[in-house]
Amino acid sequence: MLQDGKISDVIDPVTALALVQCHLGPLLLIGEGPYVKLLDHGSTQLLASNRVFDTQSLHGIVTGKIGTGHDRRDWVIKVLFWGGRWLRFGQLRNDTNDDDINVRLDLEDEVQASDWVLDAALQPALNQDTSIQSEANAVFVTAQNSVLALLHSRGEPLVLRHIASGPMSMLYSAHIEWTDDGRIIVASGTVFGEVLVWSFPDDGVLSNTALPPSTQVHHRFNAHEGSVFGVRISPSLSGIGLGVRKRLLASCSDDRTIRVWNISDFEAQNMFAKSHPDIDGALPDTKGSSELKSHNQCVAEIMGHQSRIWNVKFLASKDEINIISFGEDGTAQVWQLASAPPSQNLNLPGSRSCQRLVHQYTYTYHSGKNIWASAVNRKRDGTYMICTGGADGRVVSYDIPRSSNSSKRGFLSSQWTMQDVTKQLEENKPKVATDECGTEQTRRTICSQIFASFEGIWTINRNIKSALSSYPSGTFTGEARFESRPQSDGEAGTEYLYSENGTFNTEQGLSFQATRRYVYRFQYTSDTISVWFVKPDDEGVVDYLFHELHLDLAVEQSVARQFQGENTIFANGYHLCVEDHYTPSYKFSIEEGVLRQWVLSYRVNGPQKDYRTEATYSKQNHEDNRAPAREVKEPVPLPESSRKNGDLINRAATKDSFKTYGCLSSDSFLTTTWQGKLMLGALVSLGRKGEKTQLEWRLMGHFDVLKSSSVFARATASDLILVGGNDGTIFRYDSPEKVLHPVRKIDRKIAFLHCQCLQIQTAGTLDHLLLVVGLGISIAHVYTFGLISTGPDPGFQSRPHLLAFPESWIVTSAHFVEPLRIWILGFRHGALAFYDATNFSIHHTSAPVDVIADAHASDAVTTVLPFSEVTTTGQANKFVLTAGRDGHYAVHTIAGIRTTLGSLRLETRTVHRSAPPFGPNIEGATFDQQTCDLILWGFRSKSFVVWNASKNMETMTVECGGVHRNWCYAPRMDGSDGGSFVWTKASVCHVHAQPYSSHRVLQSGGHGREIKAMALSPVIVDDDGSLQQYIATGAEDTAIRIWSYKSEKRSRFGFECLATLTKHTTGIQQLRWSADGGILFSAAGREEFFIWRVQPVPLLRIGVVCEAIAPAVTEDGDLRIMDFALEDVGTDGVSQQQTKWEYHISVVYSDGSFRVYHCLLNYFRNSVELVQCGTYNTVNCLTQVSYLGAYLGLVACTASSDGHLAFWPISKPSIATDKSLRHTHRVPLHQNYIKSMAAISIENHTKFLIVSGGDDGALGITRVTFGPLTREPEYMKMLITKAHAAAINAVAYVGKGRSSESQEEEHVHRHIFLSSGSDQRVKTWVVTVHCSPYSLPDMDVEVLGDRHTSVADVASLAFHVLYGISHDSDRFSITVKHAGCTTELVQYNYAFES
């Protein structure tokens, strides 16, 4: 007899949750089917697992702390479980003497109630001595609105007794609890939309001798238009608009509404309560009215979820009242009870409500449908921790802040207008200071003092020394004037028009007059001096920035000290003019507070320039240069009378707005505005523990080249940030100094910019690559450069390399693959282009060596990210991950082969393609530096979403308005799943930053809908020699999931989802693996038949790509594929070295048609071609198909909805001259629909055994024999009626049983099969077949095992052998997996043939 199975793991819908507190933090009880798991909430470690009921699923769990020992670490928690009509007490015990958790769950006897249990409550402790472990009683509400008690005393049997009944009704929901004044109150939701509130005193009602209590009905609300699925009584509370402390009741319904009711008067009514003569009547209220007040007790209502609402709970605090609701749509939503203006008062007859429900948050952390279970825990800081479990088997935990205006610890969500930013910058300006005499004066920084000292007339002596004969050397002597004038830019602060005139004498003796004009500006908000060119045709109009002065303040002590003694201050700047580098240096000499003299030197280098200048500026009248003589004023608007046609100077727009964003890190970002401002936003943590975060702004400067258009690029693997201007200038942002340095310039506006740090250093200091594309050209410029620490000027190679692409192509992404020396460019129309960088020539333009034209359909490629894998042999395999706006990300392998002529031949192959559920726009991707998790981000409808593809979870969701806006995002890259998102919406800058994921996944689930198909792959040997076996499941949610299973003891969960495939558009019908485990075949409705290649990929674990699709059968594609069979007819080599895969595929359809396809897969061409086609009949549907391999060729066996088996000879593709397909024999077996079938060969491919399960609950066993020279079958059949109490949906072959070694039974075969169906039973059968040529054929059937499964409607069944479990060489441990709405693993032991 088969030993009873031990549950190895289960993924069931989570139907019950409860949180309990211990000395190390919260523990979570999870109810799945009849099982309960205990998880440590902090570590997600599985602490215990028990089966609570034999067959009944859990529907609820309540807990109450009973007592502790002498040590707080020794505790006992009483637990009550219920499901259906069953209840069971249990005790959680922790008996350890250290700080570890060593918990066990002790269960007591099951108790069966008279009706369905809807809610239960444990009796509160009678005293405060928690060390006393006395009796534990509970009350519960049934579906007939009755309250029963479960009485339990130590050493005594459980007692179940009826206590009280409310108004007779059929209930869908109820809530029961003890009140502080010694009553038990019940709220009931009925099938017909009513909500009933009634109570009774608890004085002695739980004793065995107590009389029936007096009950009182307080309210009968005609609450909803549909059935009431959830009711919840609030604790005694006060809140906005409630006045005195009150009690509320929340209800939810089939009509998708949430309503809140005032039931505060039930406490006053209790003072007048008497024995209730008629339970269906109503007691008079305190004012003597005989009518229940139901019409005017509704406080607020709102239309909630997209579908039915299952439950509601209160989240109350001193400041506010919130309600959280859980729906069929898989979301949890939070609503705040707030005051409503009179115009929005509840529009009900006689309503006096002044409240409303305001939506606060929506949490979408489950896939598929239904949140069945929830647990709520209020934390010390007033926030609520919520745990939810859904039909997908997933359990998640997240915190809810106290109000919509507050945020979680370390989180930030803020909005900034330009006026808000300007106001903060104004507040951060230098404030009034006090001098040594005690009088107040405006604090002047060194920069403002120097600028104020410029005004006036200066004498110039300039020496020019050129290294090139083409540029003269000599001296200039003359006069310079700094003339103050009205500001020309709203952000400039104050400015001078600088003009110089004088005589230039060359070394050759020539002499001529020279003049020059600039504009000097002081920007008070950033405390900087800048020098600007003026237009040649109008020397009063500002043209563009020359340079900024960056003061070296290393010797600075204080403003006063600098200007009271003698000191020298240095400053420098930089300017790039096409290919010429200008490096100015300033030296300011201050003596007794007077700027007496200053020196300006220039170093100019370029292809045609190489000279140095040094100019000395001095004054004779020192008093005119005394710095305090003049203050630097704030901006003064240009008078209307001074404005001329075209303006004397550039004036800024009166209204500014945010333009472009670029993230420096997850804690800071840069932004430009339409008027050319460059600002830095930095996140600053506040508080000792960083519990709050705020955003601080800093104005970096004002740049005309950043007006209206700018581009940011952050170097990969480096902190380098580049900014591209509207005139083609490229700046480097200096993070320590917080300034911009021009580094390069192209001759047009920049369309695309990419920079990366080289991991393999080149000669010298050239350690970075820059790729830049100008607007409107089809050439990408590639520069190699290095950052020189002694100055802002990076060293560039003399000329760029050029990458060419077609004119209509627009670059959207790029990356350089160092080991292969390949540039990869991604384009807006979805193409990838590969360029060989080994033999880059500066004399010609490089063309791509390879192109993938449809890498991302016709949508932009947004990410190109190479990565590598080092194999056990030391070889590095190269991969590149790409993502695009087609909603997919893909992984490609790259192999480069050098020809004898030195040219590069690339071999690229896509090994993985997947679509995360948030799509359709994937805007970026990276691998986390700590965990190597793949992080994707993009947009779903109006929300920005961050998705951890490795964990298969959403980590951030921000409603931002959609993709069409300026934004930037930076992940934290520390394994926390946090990040910062900045975007513009309606001209407002929004910032959302979170230090960790929005929620935690405590238990990974699976499909959110019914699983319809499952297949286990053969055992695969990985490169490291380990054994691997994949489990593929397909469900009504149209997704295919590929799993691995971990059997480690006390692991968080055994199943691990490796990949999710979402190409199908209808529910999955069938799955099959190839014999080598490298190909997965899937079939679904609408004639969808896909062929997937599955292979290991580093970082992603496995890669899956759809290699081929079977052609459609009908024009509308409205047929359903019911089943298919595979036959490997042409695979060459072993799995690691295969280059070709060839299969025969027989497919049966819902219209009774049968088609045979020939599938050919290789690295160059994939095809699926129709070979033969036939029809069973036009009335019945073919439901199953299997191959029987006869000597003379394949024979397919089909099952149909008329209960018959049919046999179809199949021709090989090479000899199939007749395209028609006909069945030769029909075998009547079942009364009707055959829902499952398994066929095996039992002897030399001439004898076969077919086991089938029908809708009639019968198990059919058919033995088929083929002659050596014919494909004509002979058959023997057996039908086991009532094998199951309902339809048999799944049949699976396990293996051969141990045969006798006696000569008499040499031709006796024992085979083990599994069957399961809608009766939730899994049965194990041994079929014994007598094949002796000396006797008549015979078959025997024996039932070896019969056990219950938690799967409600089994749809598929499979098994695999766990090797190494048993030490007996001829015994193995079997793991059985079957799937309906859920998944379950069970281990059995049985003797098999070795």
Side-chain angles (χ1 to χ4, degrees), residues 95 360 532 555 581 633 704 706 794 899 989 1092 1138-1139 1158 1172 1311 1345:
D95 299 326
Q360 301 292 299
W532 300 73
V555 297
H581 300 269
K633 303 294 184 181
D704 282 354
L706 299 183
T899 65
C989 173
W1092 313 82
Q1138 284 180 209
T1139 59
H1158 175 251
Q1172 290 180 286
H1311 297 274

Side-chain angles (χ1 to χ4, degrees), residues 32-317:
E32 297 178 89
Y35 311 102
V36 64
K37 296 178 183 177
L38 180 67
L39 260 65
D40 179 11
H41 183 274
S43 65
T44 69
Q45 180 186 5
L46 179 65
L47 304 177
S49 180
N50 292 73
R51 184 168 190 144
V52 179
F53 301 118
D54 289 336
T55 60
Q56 176 61 51
S57 295
L58 286 167
H59 292 158
I61 307 172
V62 292
T63 63
K65 198 164 187 178
I66 298 298
T68 60
H70 297 291
D71 192 325
R72 67 183 180 89
R73 295 167 295 187
D74 298 337
W75 44 260
V76 177
I77 297 177
K78 200 71 176 181
V79 185
L80 177 64
F81 305 95
W82 74 87
R85 296 192 299 163
W86 294 92
L87 300 99
R88 193 170 192 178
F89 272 122
Q91 285 186 338
L92 284 174
R93 293 182 176 273
N94 188 67
D95 299 326
T96 185
N97 290 321
D98 52 30
D99 285 336
D100 294 332
I101 299 178
N102 186 18
V103 182
R104 72 176 191 270
L105 175 61
D106 299 329
L107 294 172
E108 300 177 13
D109 294 337
E110 297 181 41
V111 177
Q112 186 176 17
S114 59
D115 203 349
W116 198 276
V117 179
L118 298 181
D119 192 37
L122 291 172
Q123 184 179 18
L126 301 179
N127 53 60
Q128 300 300 319
D129 185 6
T130 58
S131 64
I132 300 176
Q133 300 181 18
S134 58
E135 63 183 15
N137 301 323
V139 292
F140 57 93
V141 188
T142 68
Q144 295 297 329
N145 208 15
S146 296
V147 174
L148 283 75
L150 186 60
L151 310 178
H152 176 257
S153 298
R154 187 186 306 174
E156 299 293 333
L158 291 171
V159 177
L160 184 66
R161 62 183 293 264
H162 178 274
I163 294 181
S165 294
M168 293 296 295
S169 186
M170 186 180 299
L171 306 185
Y172 262 174
S173 58
H175 182 214
I176 183 171
E177 69 169 31
W178 265 272
T179 64
D180 296 335
D181 60 350
R183 294 185 70 84
I184 297 175
I185 183 171
V186 180
S188 309
T190 73
V191 176
F192 307 107
E194 287 186 314
V195 172
L196 310 172
V197 183
W198 58 285
S199 70
F200 57 90
D202 69 343
D203 298 334
V205 297
L206 300 186
S207 64
N208 292 328
T209 59
L211 297 175
S214 60
T215 58
Q216 183 179 12
V217 178
H218 305 284
H219 298 282
R220 184 193 292 269
F221 299 122
N222 293 319
H224 294 274
E225 298 177 1
S227 300
V228 181
F229 290 134
V231 290
R232 179 65 56 168
I233 303 169
S234 76
S236 182
L237 46 81
S238 63
I240 300 173
L242 292 179
V244 297
R245 298 187 67 83
K246 295 194 175 186
R247 281 215 187 237
L248 300 178
L249 170 72
S251 61
C252 59
S253 168
D254 195 17
D255 61 7
R256 297 169 48 206
T257 63
I258 301 169
R259 287 185 168 94
V260 182
W261 310 87
N262 186 359
I263 60 170
S264 304
D265 54 359
F266 91 90
E267 294 179 342
Q269 293 176 20
N270 293 336
M271 300 172 56
F272 302 91
K274 297 181 179 180
S275 178
H276 194 190
D278 183 3
I279 200 64
D280 287 326
L283 288 180
D285 62 20
T286 57
K287 296 182 180 180
S289 172
S290 61
E291 181 182 355
L292 284 176
K293 299 183 296 180
S294 63
H295 64 278
N296 60 357
Q297 301 296 308
C298 188
V299 175
E301 70 170 327
I302 198 167
M303 181 72 74
H305 297 242
Q306 296 180 358
S307 54
R308 294 175 289 185
I309 306 173
W310 297 128
N311 203 359
V312 287
K313 290 184 177 180
F314 281 93
L315 311 175
S317 66

Side-chain angles (χ1 to χ4, degrees), residues 276 453 464 475 508 529 649 749 782 814 967 1033 1159 1211-1212 1241:
H276 194 190
S453 301
I464 303 173
T475 60
Q508 290 77 20
I529 300 173
I649 40 181
K749 184 182 292 187
V782 178
W967 61 276
T1033 57
C1159 173
S1211 301
K1212 292 184 178 180
S1241 173

Side-chain angles (χ1 to χ4, degrees), residues 557-834:
Q557 299 175 11
S558 68
V559 174
R561 186 170 179 180
Q562 288 277 6
F563 279 88
Q564 285 175 0
E566 295 183 5
N567 222 321
T568 301
I569 298 175
F570 298 91
N572 57 67
Y574 177 76
H575 175 72
L576 175 67
C577 182
V578 189
E579 295 182 339
D580 298 328
H581 300 269
Y582 290 77
T583 307
S585 299
Y586 293 82
K587 177 184 176 182
F588 300 102
S589 299
I590 301 171
E591 181 181 350
E592 296 181 356
V594 177
L595 179 61
R596 300 185 181 278
Q597 191 180 74
W598 55 287
V599 178
L600 172 59
S601 303
Y602 278 96
R603 178 169 57 90
V604 182
N605 296 97
Q608 306 297 327
K609 294 181 181 179
D610 187 2
Y611 65 90
R612 305 290 186 271
T613 72
E614 182 175 292
T616 301
Y617 294 76
S618 58
K619 272 189 179 181
Q620 295 300 321
N621 184 2
H622 293 172
E623 293 300 322
D624 292 340
N625 294 19
R626 192 172 298 274
R630 182 177 178 276
E631 293 185 2
V632 178
K633 303 294 184 181
E634 295 187 5
V636 179
L638 190 67
E640 189 70 29
S641 59
S642 66
R643 298 183 184 179
K644 302 178 181 180
N645 185 25
D647 285 339
L648 179 64
I649 40 181
N650 276 355
R651 63 178 187 272
T654 58
K655 184 177 181 181
D656 204 358
S657 60
F658 299 95
K659 177 58 180 172
T660 310
Y661 300 101
C663 285
L664 303 176
S665 67
S666 59
D667 297 324
S668 60
F669 63 92
L670 292 172
T671 179
T672 60
T673 70
W674 281 97
Q675 291 185 359
K677 292 180 186 175
L678 179 66
M679 296 184 293
L680 170 67
L683 301 177
V684 179
S685 297
L686 303 178
R688 291 184 301 173
K689 298 182 179 180
E691 56 269 15
K692 289 187 178 181
T693 303
Q694 74 175 22
L695 181 64
E696 293 185 356
W697 292 92
R698 177 170 178 175
L699 184 61
M700 310 307 299
H702 188 285
F703 305 88
D704 282 354
V705 293
L706 299 183
K707 287 183 177 180
S708 72
S709 176
S710 56
V711 179
F712 285 97
R714 182 181 180 186
T716 58
S718 172
D719 294 331
L720 178 65
I721 303 295
L722 299 179
V723 185
N726 55 28
D727 65 343
T729 304
I730 301 171
F731 300 88
R732 176 176 67 88
Y733 175 73
D734 189 335
S735 295
E737 297 293 333
K738 295 182 172 53
V739 295
L740 287 183
H741 300 294
V743 295
R744 207 71 186 171
K745 185 175 182 180
I746 64 173
D747 58 357
R748 62 183 63 217
K749 184 182 292 187
I750 298 172
F752 177 79
L753 198 62
H754 170 79
C755 183
Q756 70 183 80
C757 178
L758 293 173
Q759 303 299 311
I760 304 174
Q761 299 298 320
T762 58
T765 59
L766 302 181
D767 55 2
H768 281 72
L769 285 176
L770 170 64
L771 184 143
V772 57
V773 181
L775 188 65
I777 60 173
S778 57
I779 296 291
H781 297 72
V782 178
Y783 300 91
T784 305
F785 68 96
L787 298 179
I788 301 175
S789 59
T790 58
D793 178 18
F796 271 80
Q797 65 188 44
S798 57
R799 291 181 181 274
H801 302 309
L802 304 179
L803 309 180
F805 45 85
E807 286 188 13
S808 60
W809 291 21
I810 300 174
V811 179
T812 54
S813 55
H815 211 287
F816 179 66
V817 184
E818 285 190 63
L820 298 177
R821 299 199 59 77
I822 296 171
W823 270 103
I824 306 176
L825 302 187
F827 296 90
R828 181 175 292 179
H829 67 285
L832 287 175
F834 301 81

Side-chain angles (χ1 to χ4, degrees), residues 842-868:
I842 62 174
H843 302 295
H844 70 275
T845 302
S846 299
V849 297
D850 193 14
V851 172
I852 302 177
D854 56 350
H856 285 276
S858 58
D859 294 291
V861 181
T862 57
T863 301
V864 177
L865 183 63
F867 61 98
S868 301

Side-chain angles (χ1 to χ4, degrees), residues 120 154 619 625 679 694 886 913 1105 1184 1226 1297 1345 1351:
R154 187 186 306 174
K619 272 189 179 181
N625 294 19
M679 296 184 293
Q694 74 175 22
D886 61 343
R913 182 179 296 275
V1105 62
Q1184 303 289 318
R1226 294 175 66 236
V1351 181

Side-chain angles (χ1 to χ4, degrees), residues 928-960:
D928 190 282
Q929 294 176 355
Q930 293 281 38
T931 62
C932 294
D933 287 351
L934 174 59
I935 310 297
L936 305 169
W937 56 88
F939 292 87
R940 175 184 60 213
S941 184
K942 295 183 178 181
S943 297
F944 176 79
V945 178
V946 181
W947 178 263
N948 187 318
S950 301
K951 296 178 181 177
N952 201 32
M953 63 177 283
E954 210 170 272
T955 60
M956 178 190 290
T957 305
V958 182
E959 186 174 341
C960 64

